[in-house]
Amino acid sequence: MIPFLDLKSAYNELKDEFDSAVAKVMESGYFILGPNVEAFEREYAAYLGVKHCIGMSNGLDALHIALVALGVGPGDEVIVPANTYIATWLAVTYTGATPVPVEPVENTYNLDPARIEAAITPRTKVILPVHLYGQPADMDPILEVAKRHNLQVLEDAAQAQGAKYKGRRVGGIGDIAAWSFYPGKNLGAFGDAGAITTNSDELADKVRVLRNYGSRVKYVNEVVGFNTRLDEMQAAVLRIKLSKLDEWNERRRKIAALYLENLQDSDLILPAVPEWAEPVWHLFVIRHPRRDELQKYLAEAGVGTLIHYPIPPHLQEAYASLNLKEGAFPVTEDIHREVLSLPMGPHLSLEDAGVVVEALKKNSPVKI
């Protein structure tokens, strides 16, 4: 069996470092907002080339707090991708604002800048592009639309640790960015964790206060805040993994290159990479009209796959109140009916990736 993602091997590769770091945290007596959190925040900010990194307890909280720091609240609207994981929408809903979906560019799956302007109203406050599957959204035209309409831009970079847009790492291109370090991410903790990054001193200060009960001095609460802090244990783990991130991303690129080269003559729709993008291949997502049949065949052949994501947010019961029926976003709906994620990760060998390719070539629904 070739698993969709192998997380245990990441631990095994660096076992001694992880065990030592965790033991030091236990011995230190610091468990929340201690020296490892401070060090990780410095190191990740330096890696991205941004001024500020603020550790959070998870990626959804990071999105939520970033929106609150931007001043989003009840009555406001936020432009979101129609094609994304529901967390992007949930963060908007938590503020009391309304998510306003916009279709993606079909071949990159990311928010289509050309469609944004038509969705803007006097209530629009923020544009929230997602760097989906580890590929950066087309940020320059998004920023141009935002500037024309005096809007702010929040990057959802949960799947894109290390990705570059026109030579710049994502996470410091918009006004603020939110990150998830869920275990399966390219930079993943051993539990839930997240962060917010920004080049704005003002936004960074707001986020630090908001994440800690609205307080910068213990028991003195300036605003109604939240409890969403990165803990020391996860920060210690992330510091170790950050030192390997570029190497592990490069392993992902080699796997992606193998898939792209060997599947290019098939009837699969393969990922398209614009010339300005340097993706980090959090996921390698193919499309096929007989997706469910293909997934079943691959499972029988011993190849693990996942569907990211089977139901788009606007068709989830959670958003029935928006009254967005099937057919409202046809590009997104077509994508969600056809996408399938092949095995991908820094501990998938090229030999095993080759086995995936061979499985696709042998008696599968795919024509090669």
Side-chain angles (χ1 to χ4, degrees):
M1 179 69 185
I2 297 173
F4 169 73
L5 176 64
D6 177 9
L7 291 177
K8 188 175 180 180
S9 290
Y11 170 70
N12 290 335
E13 181 177 336
L14 302 170
K15 182 180 186 301
D16 291 343
E17 292 180 59
F18 288 136
D19 290 351
S20 175
V22 169
K24 287 178 182 177
V25 170
M26 298 301 291
E27 292 165 0
S28 73
Y30 285 99
F31 300 111
I32 294 175
L33 298 184
N36 276 291
V37 172
E38 293 173 1
F40 173 72
E41 289 175 340
R42 289 194 304 270
E43 291 160 6
Y44 196 51
Y47 173 81
L48 297 174
V50 299
K51 290 178 68 176
H52 303 283
C53 171
I54 305 98
M56 311 292 289
S57 58
N58 60 74
L60 178 52
D61 280 357
L63 282 166
H64 178 208
I65 298 300
L67 287 165
V68 174
L70 291 171
V72 175
D76 293 330
E77 293 178 349
V78 176
I79 303 293
V80 295
N83 178 49
T84 186
Y85 183 52
I86 199 171
T88 311
W89 289 42
L90 291 175
V92 176
T93 302
Y94 289 170
T95 69
T98 300
V100 177
V102 169
E103 290 268 51
V105 177
E106 187 166 4
N107 69 344
T108 69
Y109 308 126
N110 278 323
L111 184 65
D112 187 345
R115 297 176 186 257
I116 293 173
E117 208 139 18
I120 293 172
T121 76
R123 294 184 297 279
T124 307
K125 197 139 190 182
V126 169
I127 303 173
L128 207 175
V130 178
H131 303 304
L132 196 64
Y133 308 150
Q135 174 147 270
D138 194 358
M139 291 301 296
D140 281 351
I142 292 172
L143 292 170
E144 289 169 9
V145 173
K147 185 177 180 180
R148 282 200 303 273
H149 292 272
N150 196 30
L151 303 175
Q152 300 170 101
V153 176
L154 162 59
E155 299 173 69
D156 182 340
Q159 300 183 4
Q161 293 92 352
K164 291 182 180 180
Y165 173 74
K166 297 184 178 180
R168 295 176 59 192
R169 294 201 195 276
V170 302
I173 299 172
D175 295 284
I176 196 167
W179 302 86
S180 168
F181 303 128
Y182 180 77
K185 297 295 194 288
N186 292 42
L187 179 59
F190 288 163
D192 273 323
I196 289 172
T197 55
T198 182
N199 285 308
S200 166
D201 296 341
E202 179 183 359
L203 287 175
D205 184 63
K206 286 181 179 179
V207 168
R208 289 191 179 97
V209 172
L210 284 166
R211 76 169 173 180
N212 190 38
Y213 296 102
S215 172
R216 71 181 79 233
V217 177
K218 197 173 181 67
Y219 302 129
V220 178
N221 302 87
E222 302 171 22
V223 296
V224 177
F226 305 85
N227 174 20
T228 174
R229 302 167 298 192
L230 178 62
D231 71 65
E232 278 289 288
M233 201 81 72
Q234 303 303 342
V237 168
L238 289 168
R239 293 183 68 196
I240 293 168
K241 285 194 172 184
L242 179 59
S243 69
K244 300 288 287 186
L245 180 58
D246 284 343
E247 178 187 333
W248 286 2
N249 280 343
E250 187 56 34
R251 295 183 197 174
R252 289 173 180 267
R253 290 188 181 99
K254 290 179 180 177
I255 294 164
L258 184 149
Y259 284 154
L260 289 169
E261 180 180 352
N262 287 278
L263 298 174
Q264 62 181 328
D265 295 326
S266 71
D267 63 350
L268 294 168
I269 298 175
L270 299 176
V273 181
E275 61 181 2
W276 41 258
E278 294 181 46
V280 290
W281 300 104
H282 171 60
L283 300 172
F284 189 93
V285 179
I286 60 173
R287 288 174 61 189
H288 195 274
R290 297 164 66 189
R291 184 267 312 280
D292 293 343
E293 184 182 344
L294 177 57
Q295 184 178 41
K296 181 181 178 182
Y297 163 79
L298 287 172
E300 292 170 349
V303 175
T305 60
L306 283 179
I307 298 171
H308 297 86
Y309 303 95
I311 305 173
H314 72 278
L315 296 181
Q316 297 281 2
E317 187 177 349
Y319 283 101
S321 62
L322 295 181
N323 199 32
L324 297 169
K325 305 299 184 183
E326 189 167 353
F329 296 96
V331 176
T332 292
E333 292 166 26
D334 284 347
I335 289 169
H336 284 247
R337 276 191 290 266
E338 296 182 352
V339 289
L340 185 67
S341 300
L342 298 182
M344 172 56 74
H347 297 92
L348 176 69
S349 69
L350 291 175
E351 289 75 17
D352 280 351
V355 171
V356 175
V357 170
E358 288 307 308
L360 284 165
K361 290 181 176 180
K362 289 180 181 177
N363 303 316
S364 83
V366 177
K367 294 178 182 178
I368 298 180

